[in-house]
Amino acid sequence: MTGRTARAERVEVTRDHILTAAERLFAEHGVFSVSNRQISEAAGQGNTAAVGYHFGTKTHLVRAIVRRHSESIERRRAQMVTAIDGSDDVRDWVSCMVRPVTEHLAQLGSATWYARFLAQVGTDPAFYAIMAEENRTSPALQRNIEGFNRCLPALSPAVRAERGEMMRQLVLHTCGVRERALAEGASTPRKSWHDTATGLIDALVGLWLAPVTRD
């Protein structure tokens, strides 16, 4: 029993090293520019087939990285959505979409790659489908979307979809740009992730409440 437990712990440590290395390399170079061999070497694995052995395909590896972070984000969002239940203020619901992500990034510490990883994955149709699927299985996010939609009943489905994509891209790339600046020691427009979220929420509320021009 002790032997099996020790082996399971070694496997878990190996998987964790691989996920960390893959997240960093994908964030810095793009998903398709990084090979499994490079990930294995960066993770300190002598066996260059370690990635395939532990995770299978690159799609499974990307999904595992997303899920590695999703529990923390889901928990934060569930707490926020519960706290504002019944609100008809667009800003409340936009905050629930933004702050769980930025608070998670702040909690990770100074050396992070997840925002840039999301920006890389979010611009590729094949891998974005993984994120979309994970979002559909998030109870807190679905409650968030339902509450948000109730605040803007006049928007048509087409406009709602268009602005939803604008919001997704703005959050992904604003967080990714800030994370890169922090990694390079460059200056940032906002001094903290909390303040970055505030700026994003201001912009997104304006986006959603902007008038719709009719052709």
Side-chain angles (χ1 to χ4, degrees), residues 36-45 48:
N36 284 356
R37 176 186 291 272
Q38 290 172 307
I39 296 170
S40 294
E41 292 174 352
Q45 301 303 306
T48 57

Side-chain angles (χ1 to χ4, degrees), residues 4-182:
R4 288 198 295 270
T5 301
R7 183 180 183 281
E9 290 177 353
R10 288 196 299 272
V11 168
E12 189 63 29
V13 169
T14 298
R15 286 173 60 88
D16 188 64
H17 287 334
I18 291 172
L19 287 173
T20 298
E23 183 179 315
R24 175 175 61 81
L25 291 173
F26 289 161
E28 294 176 345
H29 305 291
V31 179
F32 288 108
S33 299
V34 177
S35 68
N36 284 356
R37 176 186 291 272
Q38 290 172 307
I39 296 170
S40 294
E41 292 174 352
Q45 301 303 306
N47 181 1
T48 57
V51 175
Y53 174 79
H54 286 281
F55 293 99
T57 67
K58 188 168 285 187
T59 297
H60 291 123
L61 180 57
V62 167
R63 189 187 303 277
I65 295 172
V66 172
R67 289 181 175 176
R68 190 188 196 194
H69 296 271
S70 61
E71 182 179 347
S72 171
I73 296 172
E74 173 77 5
R75 182 173 61 254
R76 294 170 189 274
R77 182 171 284 121
Q79 292 170 348
M80 290 187 66
V81 168
T82 298
I84 64 162
D85 188 37
S87 173
D88 58 0
D89 187 340
V90 171
R91 187 181 185 87
D92 284 344
W93 296 102
V94 171
S95 296
C96 289
M97 292 180 178
V98 175
R99 290 205 185 276
V101 177
T102 55
E103 288 179 4
H104 176 66
L105 291 168
Q107 184 188 41
L108 292 176
S110 57
T112 65
W113 300 276
Y114 190 54
R116 286 170 287 171
F117 164 81
L118 288 178
Q120 293 279 7
V121 171
T123 55
D124 181 88
F127 291 117
Y128 169 64
I130 295 174
M131 295 173 59
E133 181 181 341
E134 292 297 316
N135 288 341
R136 285 194 293 271
T137 62
S138 163
L141 183 58
Q142 295 310 310
R143 288 173 60 199
N144 196 164
I145 292 171
E146 290 168 5
F148 177 77
N149 286 341
R150 286 195 298 269
C151 296
L152 297 166
L155 289 183
S156 70
V159 172
R160 197 182 298 276
E162 179 183 53
R163 294 188 181 183
E165 178 61 19
M166 291 177 184
M167 177 168 68
R168 185 179 73 86
Q169 294 291 348
L170 186 59
V171 173
L172 285 179
H173 290 284
T174 298
C175 290
V177 167
R178 173 179 169 78
E179 186 182 70
R180 177 174 286 107
L182 292 175

